[in-house]
Amino acid sequence: VVQDDPFNSSPTDPEFMSDSVREMFEKGESLPAAKKKVPMIDLPLGATEDRVCGTIDIEKALTEGVKSFEPGLLAKANRGLLYVDEVNLLDDHLVDVLLDSAASGWNTVEREGISIKHPAQFVLVGSGNPEEGELRPQLLDRFGMHAEIRTIADPKLRVEIVQQRIDFDANPEECLKAYEEKQKELRNKILSAKELLPKVTINDDLRIK
């Protein structure tokens, strides 16, 4: 990413650059790059539209007398993961915001004399109980796959899960160290799959199914 850029802009791909970074890129200016972990941002149910999209920085406006943009959750989630717990209970106005951003890959904010546009390309991850409410069909289309979580009935497995939780609460560092090798293997599998994905071809018959 471009170093110190609040929108996680790409230093090489204009499609993943904010307006200010793209201007520097087109002028031929050097863009200092840095590596960071893929962001995973939580979107709480009670979040306001300003918190999600971004708004004017009130603190700077009051203390410095300047109009400055305060990035929202969509900016932080760009090129990362956006997680919504109880996604089926999300307010309609926030669902509309997510749908617009997911469809265009951009978030446009116009607030109090500020007009800014930045990339908002993210993987949407959600969880929820279908019995509490259904997802809007438009939002459901944005999820490429789903997994059904069932209650574990095996008593031995249930005890094992509880014990692992107790071990983690007692000594988080030791518990993480115990599973570090397995996590590393899983991480390498994901990275390998990411590299192989562009080479995957799907038969037309399977596409139809």
Side-chain angles (χ1 to χ4, degrees):
V1 299
V2 175
Q3 192 170 354
D4 298 326
D5 180 70
F7 308 111
N8 297 326
S9 295
S10 167
T12 56
D13 189 349
E15 288 298 316
F16 292 96
M17 292 180 181
S18 61
D19 288 344
S20 57
V21 172
R22 186 186 283 108
E23 285 179 13
M24 295 171 62
F25 179 77
E26 290 174 349
K27 289 178 182 177
E29 297 181 22
S30 62
L31 300 173
K35 287 191 174 183
K36 63 183 292 187
K37 289 184 177 181
V38 174
M40 182 168 180
I41 306 300
D42 285 333
L43 195 163
L45 283 179
T48 63
E49 188 171 336
D50 285 348
R51 179 78 182 94
V52 176
C53 297
T55 185
I56 190 169
D57 190 328
I58 300 297
E59 185 177 348
K60 278 192 177 181
L62 294 176
T63 58
E64 302 176 21
V66 296
K67 290 181 179 179
S68 177
F69 180 70
E70 182 179 357
L73 297 178
L74 291 179
K76 295 177 181 178
N78 183 41
R79 301 176 67 201
L81 307 172
L82 184 65
Y83 173 69
V84 188
D85 191 18
E86 303 290 355
V87 64
N88 50 322
L89 303 181
L90 200 62
D91 289 339
D92 284 345
H93 71 282
L94 292 183
V95 172
D96 292 336
V97 168
L98 290 182
L99 288 173
D100 289 343
S101 299
S104 65
W106 289 84
N107 177 40
T108 303
V109 181
E110 294 183 352
R111 296 279 192 282
E112 292 84 20
I114 287 180
S115 180
I116 191 166
K117 181 181 178 184
H118 67 80
Q121 303 195 26
F122 50 84
V123 175
L124 185 61
V125 181
S127 63
N129 185 352
E131 296 178 0
E132 295 176 352
E134 293 185 358
L135 271 175
R136 279 173 54 178
Q138 301 95 321
L139 186 58
L140 186 61
D141 288 342
R142 291 296 163 187
F143 292 99
M145 61 183 295
H146 80 279
E148 184 177 355
I149 309 299
R150 296 179 179 272
T151 302
I152 296 173
D154 186 351
K156 290 183 179 180
L157 193 53
R158 289 172 71 95
V159 170
E160 185 181 341
I161 293 171
V162 172
Q163 187 59 52
Q164 287 179 356
R165 180 69 217 191
I166 293 172
D167 293 343
F168 179 81
D169 289 338
N171 193 335
E173 289 185 9
E174 193 65 33
C175 190
L176 291 173
K177 194 178 292 183
Y179 293 96
E180 186 176 0
E181 200 59 39
K182 289 183 179 179
Q183 290 293 315
K184 193 174 182 180
E185 288 179 13
L186 183 59
R187 184 163 53 246
N188 290 336
K189 281 185 179 180
I190 293 173
L191 291 173
S192 177
K194 197 173 179 181
E195 291 177 1
L196 290 172
L197 184 59
K199 303 174 185 177
V200 174
T201 57
I202 301 175
N203 189 284
D204 288 340
D205 292 337
L206 292 176
R207 288 177 184 271
I208 295 172
K209 290 182 181 180

